[in-house]
Amino acid sequence: GRLSRSQLSKEQVQVYLREESNKRKHLLEKYIRLCNDSKVVVDTMLVESNDATGKAILELIHIANITNLVMGTKQSPLSR
């Protein structure tokens, strides 16, 4: 079932967040492998921003001459 963060211990939250992070990492690795197998050049970039993530990404698109962009987020259901 779904529990709120306040119903869990700190350790339980950390375990959950670690598991979710590992799932995302595995999915990204799978996607990169698929791209590499198809001879598609792929690179990953971690963009961190406290308040202007969208603006940082828009600037980066121009600076890095990005033509295709796949995005994900780290926000977990516990933090909603």
Side-chain angles (χ1 to χ4, degrees):
R2 297 181 66 112
L3 300 171
S4 70
R5 195 175 219 163
S6 62
Q7 293 175 287
L8 302 173
S9 70
K10 242 183 184 176
E11 293 79 26
Q12 289 171 315
V13 171
Q14 289 174 345
V15 167
Y16 174 79
L17 293 176
R18 191 171 34 254
E19 287 174 357
E20 289 299 306
S21 179
N22 287 337
K23 284 181 193 176
R24 283 190 306 275
K25 184 179 176 184
H26 178 70
L27 186 60
L28 179 60
E29 289 169 352
K30 197 170 164 183
Y31 179 76
I32 291 171
R33 254 192 322 275
L34 177 67
C35 290
N36 288 333
D37 291 347
S38 300
K39 306 290 189 244
V40 174
V41 177
V42 63
D43 193 9
T44 59
M45 233 179 256
L46 175 63
V47 177
E48 295 180 312
S49 176
N50 290 334
D51 53 6
T53 305
K55 184 177 178 186
I57 291 171
L58 286 175
E59 290 174 0
L60 189 60
I61 289 171
H62 177 71
I63 292 168
N65 196 25
I66 295 171
T67 55
N68 294 299
L69 179 64
V70 177
M71 293 176 39
T73 182
K74 184 176 155 175
Q75 183 179 11
S76 74
L78 291 176
S79 64
R80 290 184 193 157

